[in-house]
Amino acid sequence: MAIVTCQNGHFYDNEKFGECPHCAGPGTETQDSVTVAMAQQSREVERYAMEYLKRSAPQTHVKISVQEDEEKTVGLYQKRGMEKCTAGWLVCIAGEAYGRDFPLYAGFNRIGRGSGNDIRLNDNQVSRDEHCSIVYEEKKNVFYLTPKGGNLTYVGEEMVHQAQQIAGGDVITVGQTQLELAVFCTGDKKWAKKE
């Protein structure tokens, strides 16, 4: 491999290209044609994503922006009429996700291995579908742990059989993973509704 510079100052590998691919004449793929092709492909992906989401999830508002100068598509997903304010976190203290934190929002925060869950864990002893949920109830400003379908879920050393209130510092065990609850919204501290 030999990197050389053309008369216009472009660097290229002269073993791969007979002449500078940036300065090449008509009929060869130049940097500009690659950029145009990537922009067209991004628009096609955007169009497909919008059509898919309109059919499959009408309750979800999706904004997709194409940033052609960086040549990548960035998607932003947000539920209609709801702003996501962090109520607390689950922090992994044992297991594959050791050291990671997972934000908790108002409503159900589903835990499992599959992509349909809000908190995804790479633990073969955790159900692919929803294993359990952490629920933040805004009106009462409290957290609940809700087990799902006979999956083994523990708070401390006690197995959870039905929904129960949990508090900051509680350790939740699912499979081989231990998650500690760290709360932000507690007591009189909670997010005010925006007008």
Side-chain angles (χ1 to χ4, degrees):
M1 175 170 83
I3 303 296
V4 296
T5 307
C6 75
Q7 62 195 20
N8 293 323
H10 300 123
F11 292 96
Y12 69 98
D13 183 350
N14 69 351
E15 291 179 8
K16 284 186 178 180
F17 304 98
E19 59 183 314
C20 176
H22 302 285
C23 301
T28 61
E29 191 169 56
T30 64
Q31 185 65 29
D32 290 338
S33 65
V34 170
T35 302
V36 169
M38 290 182 77
Q40 289 172 342
Q41 185 178 15
S42 294
R43 284 190 291 278
E44 289 173 18
V45 169
E46 177 184 359
R47 194 170 31 256
Y48 173 78
M50 292 301 287
E51 289 172 12
Y52 173 77
L53 289 167
K54 283 178 187 175
R55 287 191 314 266
S56 65
Q59 77 281 3
T60 304
H61 171 71
V62 178
K63 176 184 176 187
I64 299 177
S65 61
V66 178
Q67 300 173 348
E68 293 179 24
D69 58 333
E70 294 182 23
E71 298 178 1
K72 66 180 179 179
T73 302
V74 178
L76 172 67
Y77 299 87
Q78 183 178 25
K79 290 183 180 178
R80 282 188 190 150
M82 177 184 185
E83 292 196 28
K84 290 202 168 195
C85 296
T86 304
W89 300 266
L90 288 177
V91 180
C92 183
I93 58 173
E96 180 89 18
Y98 181 78
R100 283 192 56 205
D101 67 315
F102 304 94
L104 300 172
Y105 304 106
F108 280 82
N109 298 274
R110 292 162 183 82
I111 300 172
R113 276 187 303 140
S115 61
N117 294 290
D118 303 299
I119 298 168
R120 293 181 61 195
L121 299 174
N122 189 15
D123 181 337
N124 288 332
Q125 293 184 13
V126 171
S127 175
R128 181 175 308 284
D129 299 324
E130 181 183 347
H131 189 96
C132 64
S133 292
I134 304 293
V135 181
Y136 171 63
E137 206 279 294
E138 283 182 285
K139 290 182 182 178
K140 294 182 181 176
N141 203 23
V142 294
F143 291 85
Y144 294 95
L145 173 63
T146 306
K148 180 79 173 187
N151 295 320
L152 297 177
T153 305
Y154 298 86
V155 173
E157 297 296 319
E158 299 295 317
M159 187 165 74
V160 179
H161 300 284
Q162 60 187 7
Q164 79 176 46
Q165 188 172 340
I166 55 176
D170 283 348
V171 176
I172 299 153
T173 304
V174 291
Q176 296 295 313
T177 304
Q178 290 185 332
L179 304 162
E180 184 173 330
L181 177 64
V183 298
F184 177 77
C185 295
T186 185
D188 292 334
K189 187 196 303 185
K190 64 181 180 177
W191 296 105
K193 294 281 185 192
K194 285 179 124 178
E195 297 289 328

